[in-house]
Amino acid sequence: MPDANILGIESSCDETGAAVVRSGQQILSNVVASQIATHQPYGGVVPELASREHLRAIVPVVRQALADAGQSYQSVDAIAVTQGPGLAGALLVGISFAKALAFGLEKPLIAVNHLEGHIHAVLLGQRQMEQRQRENGDLQFPVLALVVSGGHTHLYLAELQENLWTYRNIGHTRDDAAGEAFDKVAKLLGLGYPGGPIIDRLAPYGDAHAVKFQISQMKHPDRRDHKARDHQQADHAQLGAEDGPNFDFSYSGIKTAVLRYVETQGMKPRIEARRRALAEIDKPALEDVRRLSDRQTLNLVASFQRTMVSDLVMKTLAAAREYEVRTLFVSGGVAANQELRTTFEQEAGMQGLPVFFPARALSTDNAAMIAAAAFPKFLRGDFVGMDFSAEAGMALR
Ligand code: KG4
Ligand code: ZN
């Protein structure tokens, strides 16, 4: 297999990323400029501000990635960029810059689906993966990949043949993504933004059994139930999913349940006080948030996280059994969650199913994952012309 150094560029949401990755596995550099500070006052990503920040950051971030890798514009073998899904204006910044580089340098240009990037982050610099490969030979397919982030909660069956990865969507959220639920609950409780990492770190201080939440169970039609299946196919035709039973998620209900709990328990004045206190601290640390969180809030946070984690794990493992997969990948921003990782490891372990995560820093958006996903496409000569454009709602196949 020839070696190739691929420069990856990512700008689909609120991180400007550039990275150089050798042959899909070895990270030579990985630079991420986060816009958290820009969006923090608004409690969520503001698309216009995101595009502006990407424009500011893209040139220095790419330069830094090349310098860190000891590479130059001329020495890389290809340029890879996120095509979608994501914010159209944000995607266009990365795409226009990647096109200009590829055109000026006469290098091949590779378009990568952001979700495929998240899945390939699992293959990056994996010590456990390398060890497993040494012990058991190559990665075993089919792989079931759970991509769980601020925008997605999707299950894909992945196959690999002659460097061609193919994906089949077998489940997705019907409303909010899991990361979105973490962010909205944290905002509701006046804990700050983004919510996932804060709730992750606060949850161990609370009692996860204190508050009972239920997540609606999406019924999936049985294979033999043709009438229901026809129905589902009609649904799926619209959503771009495929044949077979599906394993859908739904997280808008739990957010409403948390809101109801807050109201019935009269927590609002304490939440407002916390919000005001945190707003006065420049860059609040976890210790500040914890100090300002009473027992009831900590219990609520722990119970919420426990419910989310057990739903994600149980549904994913049910899909793994149904489709008889050999390997499980869990990636995307929420895959950084400690309780999610431990629970997956325990439960998948009991099923005898190997489960792999990216390193925590590679779970959230970055460009190394884009360069990694581009490598098999590089080997296949799967390049794009100058006429390709951003696809905000891009599906993964
Ligand atoms: O993959 P990502 O960086 O961007 C998207 O493509 O959406 O994911 C960001 C999401 C946010 O919702 C954030 O709150 C969540 O991932 N997240 C976490 C953790 N770290 C990030 N959720 C739970 N626990 C974490 N440790
Ligand atoms: Zn992402």
Side-chain angles (χ1 to χ4, degrees):
M1 208 186 275
D3 262 343
N5 293 332
I6 299 182
L7 169 66
I9 296 176
E10 152 68 34
S11 69
S12 68
C13 190
D14 59 344
E15 327 270 2
T16 317
V20 182
V21 175
R22 175 169 293 155
S23 304
Q25 276 200 313
Q26 191 191 354
I27 301 178
L28 302 187
S29 65
N30 187 23
V31 180
V32 180
S34 168
Q35 305 179 359
I36 285 180
T38 305
H39 302 290
Q40 208 147 29
Y42 306 94
V45 178
V46 183
E48 289 77 8
L49 296 185
S51 309
R52 193 190 70 191
E53 292 301 309
H54 284 305
L55 272 173
R56 267 196 205 156
I58 190 92
V59 174
V61 164
V62 170
R63 275 201 193 130
Q64 188 66 47
L66 289 169
D68 289 356
Q71 298 282 320
S72 67
Y73 284 119
Q74 282 74 24
S75 69
V76 295
D77 296 293
I79 320 268
V81 66
T82 307
Q83 182 175 14
L87 302 168
L91 287 162
L92 276 172
V93 176
I95 291 174
S96 312
F97 191 63
K99 277 188 189 173
L101 282 182
F103 183 74
L105 301 165
E106 298 182 16
K107 303 279 182 192
L109 183 59
I110 302 167
V112 175
N113 184 305
H114 180 81
L115 303 174
E116 183 170 25
H118 274 303
I119 293 172
H120 282 253
V122 175
L123 302 170
L124 274 167
Q126 273 280 9
R127 256 186 305 128
Q128 39 162 187
M129 181 73 78
E130 281 158 19
Q131 192 180 344
R132 185 183 146 70
Q133 284 176 355
R134 266 200 307 278
E135 285 165 5
N136 299 339
D138 284 339
L139 185 62
Q140 303 287 305
F141 287 86
V143 167
L144 178 66
L146 170 68
V147 183
V148 60
S149 69
H152 295 85
T153 308
H154 279 52
L155 280 171
Y156 294 98
L157 281 181
E159 295 277 4
L160 171 64
Q161 253 159 16
E162 285 162 20
N163 291 317
L164 178 66
W165 284 76
T166 48
Y167 307 89
R168 184 175 147 205
N169 178 226
I170 59 157
H172 55 258
T173 178
R174 302 244 179 126
D175 39 58
D176 290 356
E180 200 176 345
F182 272 90
D183 293 339
K184 285 178 177 168
V185 164
K187 188 173 176 180
L188 183 71
L189 297 177
L191 297 170
Y193 164 87
I198 302 170
I199 290 183
D200 185 359
R201 297 210 219 109
L202 285 184
Y205 297 100
D207 172 6
H209 302 288
V211 191
K212 300 271 172 286
F213 290 117
Q214 276 208 325
I215 288 189
S216 58
Q217 299 307 308
M218 303 284 107
K219 284 215 176 63
H220 65 270
D222 190 276
R223 275 188 203 281
R224 285 151 302 193
D225 183 350
H226 291 294
K227 208 165 156 211
R229 209 170 133 207
D230 288 349
H231 229 85
Q232 183 201 8
Q233 276 175 348
D235 257 16
H236 273 191
Q238 279 179 345
L239 293 162
E242 287 112 275
D243 191 13
N246 75 320
F247 293 85
D248 284 351
F249 305 88
S250 167
Y251 295 123
S252 79
I254 189 165
K255 176 192 66 190
T256 316
V258 172
L259 176 61
R260 244 193 333 263
Y261 184 86
V262 162
E263 282 170 350
T264 54
Q265 297 288 315
M267 293 172 76
K268 284 241 165 107
R270 276 175 287 149
I271 291 172
E272 275 319 310
R274 173 164 54 239
R275 210 190 300 279
R276 278 195 302 275
L278 282 174
E280 275 169 25
I281 304 173
D282 184 35
K283 296 204 185 108
L286 174 72
E287 203 30 58
D288 298 313
V289 185
R290 195 172 75 86
R291 186 171 40 82
L292 292 163
S293 300
D294 52 283
R295 178 118 313 268
Q296 195 176 22
T297 302
L298 293 172
N299 289 348
L300 180 56
V301 159
S303 304
F304 162 76
Q305 178 171 285
R306 179 69 244 158
T307 312
M308 293 294 294
V309 164
S310 84
D311 186 73
L312 285 164
V313 172
M314 291 313 152
K315 284 197 183 125
T316 303
L317 291 182
R321 286 191 296 273
E322 171 74 31
Y323 286 95
E324 297 175 2
V325 303
R326 318 262 309 263
T327 308
L328 189 58
F329 282 12
V330 183
S331 60
V334 182
N337 188 276
Q338 191 52 54
E339 188 176 351
L340 186 74
R341 287 180 175 234
T342 0
T343 312
F344 256 121
E345 266 157 9
Q346 275 165 6
E347 300 292 326
M350 289 203 294
Q351 258 179 245
L353 186 65
V355 54
F356 297 101
F357 306 89
R360 281 179 94 161
L362 297 172
S363 296
T364 47
D365 289 351
N366 65 86
M369 69 187 199
I370 302 302
F375 182 61
K377 298 182 201 295
F378 177 83
L379 294 177
R380 291 175 55 81
D382 187 0
F383 305 134
V384 288
M386 289 296 146
D387 54 348
F388 99 98
S389 194
E391 227 185 282
M394 193 176 185
L396 178 60
R397 287 171 199 290

